[in-house]
């Protein structure tokens, strides 16, 4: 059982004061055989010397164990700090909408395929999404959940409805959704995918030629992604 620091300090002071008193007994050790009082004082001094040696050895042991414990705790604290910082820096998520306009406006149709630029940003944790280009640049390698919802309004029944968009990774289509008919005035479609992406990959949504998307502050058209878990 270890003695705490306060107890050790108290014992040390007591031993020190008693040692001052007992030092006068040293000269009496040679007189132990001649005088019984001198012999008792000599025995007390020897016991005092033994206790002092034991105290110093115990104190050295405690100091060494304290240093080892502190070193271990410092390593644990450093590891926890590194893990927390890594977790914070790896947090990645964005969610955006086509517009936040109060009035319904339409994007397209265009004569060629067009990247969709989502202007209204709900969240952009990690700053991977650019509202200027509509492109999400992957900051950390990992498995991501991606979701793309499109909505359009043909204006009146019988008009052509063409709500279409493709989900691209590094310019290559990985998934798409289609609503192209004359039976619905308005309709929507959603595609969701889980993909393993590498740091530096780009993700975007592209609208095929002839399609158009309509939106207002209700945010019918959304594009989202978040990191499920990192792999780097």
């Amino acid at each position: 059982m270890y003695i705490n620091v306060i107890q050790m300090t108290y014992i040390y002071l007591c031993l020190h004061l008693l040692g001052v008193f007992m030092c006068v007994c040293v000269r009496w050790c040679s007189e132990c055989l001649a005088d019984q009082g001198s012999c008792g004082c000599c025995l007390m001094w020897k016991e005092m010397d033994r206790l002092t040696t034991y105290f110093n050895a115990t104190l050295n042991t405690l100091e060494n164990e304290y240093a080892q414990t502190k070193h271990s705790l410092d390593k644990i604290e450093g590891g926890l700090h590194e893990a927390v910082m890594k977790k914070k820096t790896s947090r990645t998520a964005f969610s955006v909408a086509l517009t936040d306009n109060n009035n319904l406006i339409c994007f397209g149709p265009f004569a060629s395929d067009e990247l969709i630029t989502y202007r209204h940003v709900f969240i952009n944790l990690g700053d991977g999404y650019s509202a200027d280009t509509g492109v999400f640049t992957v900051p950390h390698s990992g498995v991501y959940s991606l979701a793309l919802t499109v909505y359009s309004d043909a204006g009146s029944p019988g008009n052509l409805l063409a709500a279409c968009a493709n989900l691209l990774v590094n310019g290559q289509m990985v998934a798409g959704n289609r609503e192209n008919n004359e039976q619905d005035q308005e309709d929507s479609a959603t595609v969701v995918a889980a993909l393993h992406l590498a740091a530096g990959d780009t993700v975007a949504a592209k609208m095929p030629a002839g399609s158009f998307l309509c939106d207002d502050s209700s945010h019918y058209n959304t594009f989202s992604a978040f990191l499920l878990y990192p792999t780097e």
Side-chain angles (χ1 to χ4, degrees):
M1 180 176 66
Y2 295 126
I3 303 174
N4 64 42
V5 175
I6 295 177
Q7 290 174 321
M8 294 296 291
T9 304
Y10 177 74
I11 293 173
Y12 178 80
L13 291 174
C14 289
L15 291 175
H16 177 72
L17 293 174
L18 190 56
V20 173
F21 170 75
M22 292 302 297
C23 69
V24 298
C25 295
V26 176
R27 71 177 184 272
W28 292 341
C29 288
S30 61
E31 304 171 4
C32 182
L33 296 177
D35 181 73
Q36 187 65 33
S38 296
C39 188
C41 186
C42 178
L43 292 175
M44 288 183 65
W45 177 82
K46 289 182 177 180
E47 179 64 14
M48 195 66 171
D49 184 64
R50 186 187 70 80
L51 290 175
T52 301
T53 301
Y54 172 77
F55 170 80
N56 289 333
T58 303
L59 183 60
N60 289 335
T61 300
L62 288 174
E63 288 176 343
N64 291 333
E65 291 181 351
Y66 170 77
Q68 293 175 3
T69 302
K70 186 177 184 302
H71 178 69
S72 298
L73 290 175
D74 288 343
K75 288 181 64 177
I76 293 173
E77 184 179 0
L80 288 175
H81 179 72
E82 182 180 355
V84 169
M85 293 304 297
K86 184 176 181 180
K87 183 176 181 180
K88 285 183 177 181
T89 55
S90 66
R91 290 176 179 172
T92 304
F94 80 92
S95 185
V96 292
L98 194 60
T99 184
D100 198 39
N101 200 297
N102 290 328
N103 300 316
L104 187 71
I105 59 174
C106 293
F107 180 74
F110 300 104
S112 59
D113 296 354
E114 190 78 17
L115 281 180
I116 305 171
T117 305
Y118 296 86
R119 300 294 187 182
H120 181 70
V121 178
F122 296 112
I123 186 173
N124 190 17
L125 192 60
D127 298 323
Y129 176 77
S130 170
D132 295 326
T133 63
V135 175
F136 168 63
T137 302
V138 177
H140 304 284
S141 298
V143 176
Y144 286 77
S145 176
L146 306 169
L148 176 63
T149 296
V150 296
Y151 165 87
S152 192
D153 188 337
S156 62
N159 290 344
L160 176 64
L161 177 71
C164 309
N166 297 322
L167 185 63
L168 309 180
V169 174
N170 296 327
Q172 301 298 314
M173 188 183 82
V174 295
N177 44 35
R178 294 283 186 277
E179 278 298 336
N180 195 339
N181 60 76
E182 295 182 352
Q183 285 73 46
D184 302 316
Q185 177 179 333
E186 53 184 310
D187 213 335
S188 64
T190 298
V191 60
V192 178
L195 299 175
H196 183 259
L197 302 174
D201 285 349
T202 58
V203 183
K206 178 174 282 190
M207 189 174 64
S211 302
F212 60 96
L213 305 178
C214 301
D215 210 350
D216 57 22
S217 57
S218 295
H219 308 131
Y220 302 117
N221 290 273
T222 59
F223 180 29
S224 305
F226 61 90
L227 177 64
L228 293 172
Y229 60 89
T231 56
E232 60 183 8

